[in-house]
Amino acid sequence: MTWDFHKQFINGQWVQSTGSGRINVVNPATMQPFEWVSDGTLEDANRAVKAASAAQPAWAAVPLAERVALMKRMLENLRTMADELVSLEVKELGSPEFFARATHCNYQFARIESYIEIAQRLELESEYAESLVIREPVGVVACITPWNYPLGQVVQKVIPAILMGNTVILKPSQHTPLTACLLMEAFRSAGFPAGVVNMTSGRGSFLGEALVSNPKVDMVSFTGSTQVGIKLSQKALEGMKRISLELGGKSPYVWLPGMNDYRPAVEKLFASIFLNSGQTCTALSRLLVPESMEKEALNLIKEALPAYVVGDPMDPATKVGPLASRAQYDKVRSYIELGLTEGAVMQGGEVPPQEPQGGYYVKPVVFSEVKNSMRIAQEEIFGPVLCVITYKSIEEAIEIANDTPYGLNASVYGPKEKAVGVARAIKAGNVYVNDGPRDITAPFGGYKASGIGREGGAAGLLEFTQYKAIFEHGAY
Ligand code: NAD
C-alpha cells in the first residue's frame, strides 16, 4: 500500500493543511529523512476541534453496541495493515522487526480487542438508594502522544475515548507520526461518522498548546515527559479541562536473596531496559541487589550482555536498534558521560562517539557503584543504561526503590511471600512479582511524578467518562 502521509484527517476526510510547513520523518538507522508530515497550523487545530465538537452529541447518543460494532470493523481493517505497520515502525522508530511485530503491532491489536470486550461488560448505570448514577462521556478529548510506542500510546487513548462516546483530536508525536495515519484510515474505512476521530500533525510546542488552549476541548489525555505534562496541565486547568497524564519513570527492580536461579530475572531485566533501546517509560532502569550478591549479579549480567546485539533494525540478528533521534542520542550519550563523572563504573557498553556512526546506535551500558542520589539514578535517561545499586536490608531496598520523584513501574524477584510484601511497599502504579505476566486488562499508570489517571481495561475506559447523579425519587 502506498500512502499519502502529508494530509491531516479532519471531519472524516484526508485534507491538506492550511499551511505549507513540513516536518521531516528521519530513519534513525540511516539518519536520513524518508517521509514528511505537515506542520499543522492553528487553523488546522481549530478545524479539527470544530469537527469533533459538532460530532460529539450525536456520537454519544449512538448505542454502545453500535459503537462496538464499528470498532470491531476498524480493528479488522487495521489487521490487514499489519505488515505496513511493522515496516513503518522499523523505519520511523528504528525498532528491530521482531519487536515491531510483537509489541508495536500485534500487542496493540490485543489491546484494542480487550477494550472492545470490556466495554460491553461495563456497568455505566447504577441505581443507588435514592438516585440513578450514570457515567457519561467527557466530551471532546485532545490526545497528545509521544514517539516511543507510536501506535501503542495512540491506541491507549483513542480507542477507549471513542468507545465511551467521546470524540477525539489526536496529535501524535511529530517524530514518529506515520502509523497513526494508518489507524485513521482504518477508522475512515470502517465507516465512523465524520468528526468522531480527527488527527492533526505538528509540533507539540505549537499544535499541542493550540489544542490544550481551545475552549471546546473538554479533556486532555497526554502521554510524554513529566516536564511537558506539568506545563500542559497548567494550561489545561486554566480552562478547567479534565486531565489524564502518563509520564516518565525511573523504575526499580529489586532482587531479594533466597532464589536458586537469577538468570530468569536477568532475562526480564534486559527485556525491560534494553529492548526498544531502553526508550520505554516502564523500563527497569535501577537494579537493586543485596550487597552480598553484587558480584554474582554483575557476573550474570556480563554473561548475558553479548546476546543483546546492537545493529541494523532490518537485520534479524539485531535485538537493539538505534535510538530514535539525534536529540535522544545526544541526551543518552551525555548521561553516560555524566555517570562516569559521578563515579559510577562501567561494566558493559561504552561512551558512544560524539558524532553518531551511520545511525544513532548506543551499546547497552551497565553501571555499578551507583548511589541512588546520583543523577543517573534519579533522572529518566530513556536509553539502554542500567544502574546497579546495592542495599543492606530489605527496609533499605524499599527506601531506595521509593526514593525518586517517579512511581510508574517496579518489579521484585524473590521468595514469593517476601516479594509480595515488598511489592506492596513500593510506591508505584504497577509492580511485577517474579514471572508474573503483564495483564492487559489491569489499570496502568503512575504514582507521584509518573502521572495522574489510568489506562488499560475498565479503568482506562472509565477514565473517559464522568459521573452524573440523577435524583428523582422512585422514578427508575
Ligand atoms: P514529550 O513530552 O517531549 O512529547 C510528548 C508529546 O507532547 C508530543 O506529541 C509532543 O509533540 C507534545 N508536546 C511537546 N511540548 C508540548 C507542549 N508544550 N504542549 C502540548 N504538547 C506538547 O515526550 P516524548 O519525548 O515524545 O516522549 C518521551 C516521554 O514520554 C518519556 O518521559 C516517557 O517516560 C514518557 N512516556 C510515558 C508513558 C506512560 O505511559 N507513562 C508511555 C510512553 C512514554
Side-chain angles (χ1 to χ4, degrees):
M1 183 169 96
T2 50
W3 189 253
D4 178 0
F5 293 104
H6 311 154
K7 292 183 175 158
Q8 319 220 5
F9 188 66
I10 298 177
N11 207 22
Q13 289 182 336
W14 289 103
V15 295
Q16 301 284 359
S17 165
T18 56
S20 56
R22 297 176 174 195
I23 302 173
N24 280 334
V25 183
V26 174
N27 180 339
T30 62
M31 307 191 293
Q32 298 302 316
F34 68 98
E35 249 308 342
W36 59 270
V37 291
S38 302
D39 190 4
T41 62
L42 182 61
E43 211 178 331
D44 295 334
N46 289 345
R47 271 198 302 174
V49 175
K50 195 172 164 202
S53 176
Q56 205 275 325
W59 179 242
V62 170
L64 181 64
E66 278 179 44
R67 285 185 233 145
V68 161
L70 279 168
M71 198 61 89
K72 282 183 177 167
R73 210 174 305 154
M74 189 290 289
L75 177 57
E76 273 170 38
N77 296 346
L78 193 66
R79 280 186 196 282
T80 67
M81 301 175 185
D83 290 342
E84 280 101 331
L85 292 169
V86 171
S87 115
L88 285 173
E89 283 330 345
V90 173
K91 273 200 200 158
E92 68 173 1
L93 183 66
S95 170
E97 199 170 326
F98 81 93
F99 193 73
R101 188 163 299 276
T103 305
H104 292 296
C105 181
N106 292 345
Y107 189 65
Q108 306 315 324
F109 297 161
R111 266 186 173 149
I112 299 173
E113 242 170 26
S114 159
Y115 280 125
I116 290 173
E117 200 261 315
I118 294 170
Q120 296 171 78
R121 292 190 276 113
L122 274 184
E123 293 286 339
L124 294 171
E125 298 203 355
S126 344
E127 284 180 30
Y128 283 26
E130 308 248 25
S131 60
L132 175 67
V133 177
I134 58 180
R135 291 272 201 165
E136 292 192 330
V138 182
V140 174
V141 184
C143 299
I144 301 178
T145 56
W147 49 262
N148 63 329
Y149 285 85
L151 182 63
Q153 302 307 331
V154 169
V155 160
Q156 288 283 64
K157 301 181 181 314
V158 169
I159 308 302
I162 289 179
L163 277 171
M164 290 293 95
N166 303 275
T167 55
V168 159
I169 308 104
L170 166 68
K171 195 214 77 69
S173 169
Q174 63 272 35
H175 303 297
T176 56
L178 303 182
T179 46
C181 296
L182 268 59
L183 180 72
M184 290 302 113
E185 178 56 18
F187 269 105
R188 193 199 62 79
S189 50
F192 273 79
V196 169
V197 62
N198 306 271
M199 185 193 73
T200 56
S201 58
R203 287 164 219 283
S205 50
F206 179 75
L207 204 61
E209 287 217 23
L211 291 173
V212 173
S213 314
N214 191 307
K216 287 206 162 84
V217 169
D218 301 297
M219 173 173 179
V220 178
S221 175
F222 171 82
T223 299
S225 59
T226 298
Q227 212 181 359
V228 172
I230 291 171
K231 198 171 153 204
L232 165 152
S233 306
Q234 285 163 344
K235 187 133 264 164
L237 280 175
E238 281 171 22
M240 264 309 172
K241 298 177 198 308
R242 280 273 292 269
I243 49 169
S244 177
L245 305 171
E246 295 289 346
L247 308 176
K250 193 75 194 179
S251 303
Y253 192 2
V254 183
W255 288 5
L256 304 176
M259 297 295 268
N260 290 329
D261 187 3
Y262 285 82
R263 272 168 300 195
V266 174
E267 212 173 293
K268 182 181 173 86
L269 174 69
F270 280 17
S272 174
I273 183 65
F274 296 148
L275 291 186
N276 216 40
S277 303
Q279 303 165 128
T280 300
C281 53
T282 52
L284 299 167
S285 50
R286 295 181 299 142
L287 174 65
L288 277 48
V289 294
E291 226 169 44
S292 58
M293 272 187 62
E294 186 187 17
K295 220 176 187 167
E296 182 191 348
L298 290 176
N299 283 341
L300 287 173
I301 285 170
K302 281 194 248 177
E303 206 177 282
L305 212 49
Y308 271 66
V309 177
V310 181
D312 183 345
M314 305 283 282
D315 182 342
T318 295
K319 273 210 142 173
V320 182
L323 294 182
S325 63
R326 175 70 199 243
Q328 201 55 26
Y329 179 88
D330 290 342
K331 179 183 169 194
V332 172
R333 186 182 174 282
S334 73
Y335 268 111
I336 296 171
E337 281 188 329
L338 174 69
L340 295 172
T341 314
E342 286 186 303
V345 176
M346 204 183 266
Q347 298 286 346
E350 60 192 26
V351 180
Q354 193 147 14
E355 276 310 307
Q357 306 294 304
Y360 304 124
Y361 294 104
V362 173
K363 285 197 179 136
V365 166
V366 178
F367 278 129
S368 66
E369 307 292 320
V370 178
K371 301 274 162 281
N372 199 55
S373 55
M374 291 177 181
R375 281 183 56 203
I376 54 164
Q378 288 289 316
E379 298 173 16
E380 188 184 48
I381 298 175
F382 224 50
V385 181
L386 171 68
C387 294
V388 182
I389 302 168
T390 59
Y391 67 83
K392 290 187 173 64
S393 62
I394 292 191
E395 292 69 32
E396 194 193 14
I398 294 167
E399 204 181 302
I400 296 172
N402 288 335
D403 182 19
T404 77
Y406 297 107
L408 187 58
N409 187 36
S411 193
V412 189
Y413 188 74
K416 189 167 169 189
E417 214 171 296
K418 269 197 186 137
V420 171
V422 173
R424 285 180 178 276
I426 290 179
K427 292 184 169 52
N430 291 253
V431 190
Y432 292 80
V433 171
N434 297 336
D435 59 354
R438 181 147 70 158
D439 180 354
I440 215 165
T441 67
F444 171 86
Y447 279 26
K448 304 193 288 184
S450 291
I452 295 173
R454 291 294 179 267
E455 292 184 337
L461 287 155
L462 294 175
E463 189 77 16
F464 294 98
T465 65
Q466 54 193 339
Y467 277 121
K468 176 185 277 177
I470 300 176
F471 310 105
E472 199 195 341
H473 192 69
Y476 325 110

